[in-house]
Amino acid sequence: MPLNAGIIVFPGSNCQRDCADAVRVVLGTEPIFFESAQPIPDAQLAELALIILPGGFSYGDYLRSGAIAKLAPVMPSVHSAAQRGVTVLGICNGFQILTESGLLPGALTHNASATQPNGFVCNRFEPLLIAQTHHPFTQCYSQGQQVVFPVAHGEGNYQAPEATLDELEANNQVLLRYARDLNGSARGIAGICNRQGNVVGLMPHPERNLWHRPELNDSGDGRRWFEGLLKALTSKNAVNV
């Protein structure tokens, strides 16, 4: 089965091209773009191995980031894919959409520790810690390894009830933590997955750091995020042959 990947484009998305680069360069396949205004056709949905909800400002971030996007006609297709085990990756605004739609627990709230007047943080690189390496997206890193991904968000402050946070920790659902207090996120959480492991959300942008270019201070740390997924999907396909 080919590693077909779909990228959902909402009004206000602006990171779909970066995500497409990651799909082309690392996964070696041409992504399919889907507009959020209509469901994904069943035939195409059945062939997808990966769905990405990219960063941006869906519907202008009115109400709350992701609160309108969760009602988009494409979202039942995303829910259906997630329920049957398709990998769903939400980056930045995509993470916000996943929490708003109930595919991931908790909520992303306004940044609590940003220095900018409007609370928006936008750093070329942000130090992060790999919280666990038992997940496809993190298996190409080392436990506790510090990596750097770019960040750009105004509502990246992850919050959840203490019981939910404890559950995330106990089930190894925390994938990434901030190495410093960037936005006030509970327990420094920067990225999580669902209990089954196939729905993943993170605020930093691995797709913006795919190449090791010392002259530009690019570490290429984001490439291994997608290489881990490629390894997992390739192994899964081999088993299913």
Side-chain angles (χ1 to χ4, degrees):
M1 178 180 177
L3 301 181
N4 291 332
I7 299 175
I8 311 297
V9 182
F10 298 87
S13 295
N14 62 17
C15 296
Q16 59 268 28
R17 291 186 179 181
D18 298 304
C19 291
D21 282 343
V23 170
R24 294 187 186 106
V25 172
V26 184
L27 300 187
T29 188
E30 187 65 25
I32 306 168
F33 290 97
F34 296 101
E35 296 294 334
S36 64
Q38 56 190 9
I40 299 174
D42 290 341
Q44 288 181 294
L45 187 64
E47 295 180 349
L48 292 178
L50 169 67
I51 295 176
I52 300 178
L53 281 63
F57 304 91
S58 59
Y59 299 94
D61 279 351
Y62 291 109
L63 299 182
R64 294 182 310 277
S65 297
I68 299 178
K70 73 175 182 180
L71 302 174
V74 76
M75 289 306 295
S77 299
V78 176
H79 278 265
S80 176
Q83 288 170 1
R84 63 183 180 82
V86 173
T87 299
V88 177
L89 173 63
I91 303 173
C92 199
N93 188 230
F95 186 10
Q96 294 162 340
I97 295 170
L98 292 177
T99 58
E100 288 289 335
S101 63
L103 284 167
L104 287 175
L108 281 307
T109 63
H110 287 285
N111 294 342
S113 59
T115 58
Q116 290 81 351
N118 64 357
F120 193 85
V121 294
C122 186
N123 300 341
R124 183 68 182 88
F125 294 115
E126 184 63 28
L128 306 158
L129 300 174
I130 301 298
Q132 59 101 343
T133 59
H134 304 298
H135 191 275
F137 280 115
T138 58
Q139 65 176 316
C140 290
Y141 301 101
S142 301
Q143 182 73 32
Q145 180 180 350
Q146 181 168 301
V147 298
V148 289
F149 296 163
V151 299
H153 58 256
E155 296 179 40
N157 180 358
Y158 181 79
Q159 296 295 323
E162 285 297 315
T164 299
L165 295 172
D166 289 341
E167 185 176 340
L168 290 174
E169 303 276 11
N171 296 327
N172 291 318
Q173 291 174 246
V174 179
L175 304 182
L176 280 176
R177 300 186 199 273
Y178 296 105
R180 59 174 182 166
D181 184 9
L182 176 71
N183 52 28
S185 286
R187 305 189 189 182
I189 290 174
I192 62 171
C193 66
N194 65 344
R195 184 72 179 268
Q196 294 72 31
N198 67 303
V199 180
V200 175
L202 74 163
M203 288 308 297
H205 290 268
E207 80 283 10
R208 294 184 183 178
N209 193 6
L210 297 177
W211 291 274
H212 178 57
R213 299 176 292 193
E215 69 279 9
L216 298 177
N217 293 321
D218 286 349
S219 64
D221 285 343
R223 180 183 286 259
R224 279 170 288 173
W225 182 266
F226 294 97
E227 286 176 344
L229 176 65
L230 175 62
K231 183 178 179 180
L233 292 178
T234 301
S235 298
K236 181 178 180 180
N237 276 353
V239 170
N240 291 334
V241 170

